[in-house]
Amino acid sequence: QVQLVESGGGLVQAGDSLRLSCAASGRTFSFSAMGWFRQAPGKEREFVSGISRSGGSTRYADSVKGRFTVSRDNAKNTVYLQMNSLKPEDTALYYCAAAYTRAGAIVVVPTLYDYWGQGTQVTVSS
């Protein structure tokens, strides 16, 4: 069983930065690919970024490429999402998720994730 707790969300202005954190319980964190997703009101949950078990591979949605950076610290059981140059369209509830998978893999499809956090709200005003 893995529990995920996100933090770091808030209300910011366009152009500002935020860093989201996702702390995981359990000893299987290093065996899990991690992902960040977001869901805006009235929209489906969408993939934002993913990172492989070791952190050696990452992937981003086109909408955040060049602005967001995902990283992980397996010693701290934590994954991060650094968000720069935020835009109003980035406003959403952000979730982290964990997926047991092979080394090097990045999981994009939300239904393939095994565990989810409760989410942290990010609101970007114009």
Side-chain angles (χ1 to χ4, degrees), residues 7-65:
S7 61
L11 172 62
V12 297
Q13 293 186 333
D16 286 350
S17 298
L18 279 175
R19 188 175 83 154
L20 305 184
S21 299
C22 173
S25 66
R27 293 181 289 180
T28 58
F29 179 76
S30 61
F31 296 100
S32 301
M34 299 297 294
W36 286 97
F37 291 78
R38 66 187 181 187
Q39 187 165 19
K43 295 187 177 181
E44 292 188 354
R45 191 171 298 190
E46 65 172 351
F47 173 81
V48 175
S49 181
I51 188 166
S52 61
R53 285 163 45 174
S54 68
S57 298
T58 59
R59 186 169 175 177
Y60 300 92
D62 288 343
S63 59
V64 306
K65 202 171 294 183

Side-chain angles (χ1 to χ4, degrees), residues 39-91:
Q39 187 165 19
K43 295 187 177 181
E44 292 188 354
R45 191 171 298 190
E46 65 172 351
F47 173 81
V48 175
S49 181
I51 188 166
S52 61
R53 285 163 45 174
S54 68
S57 298
T58 59
R59 186 169 175 177
Y60 300 92
D62 288 343
S63 59
V64 306
K65 202 171 294 183
R67 299 188 297 122
F68 290 11
T69 303
V70 63
S71 62
R72 66 189 294 164
D73 185 338
N74 285 350
K76 296 183 178 179
N77 279 13
T78 302
V79 63
Y80 306 97
L81 185 67
Q82 177 67 43
M83 305 186 296
N84 298 329
S85 302
L86 282 162
K87 304 175 180 180
E89 51 263 44
D90 294 319
T91 295

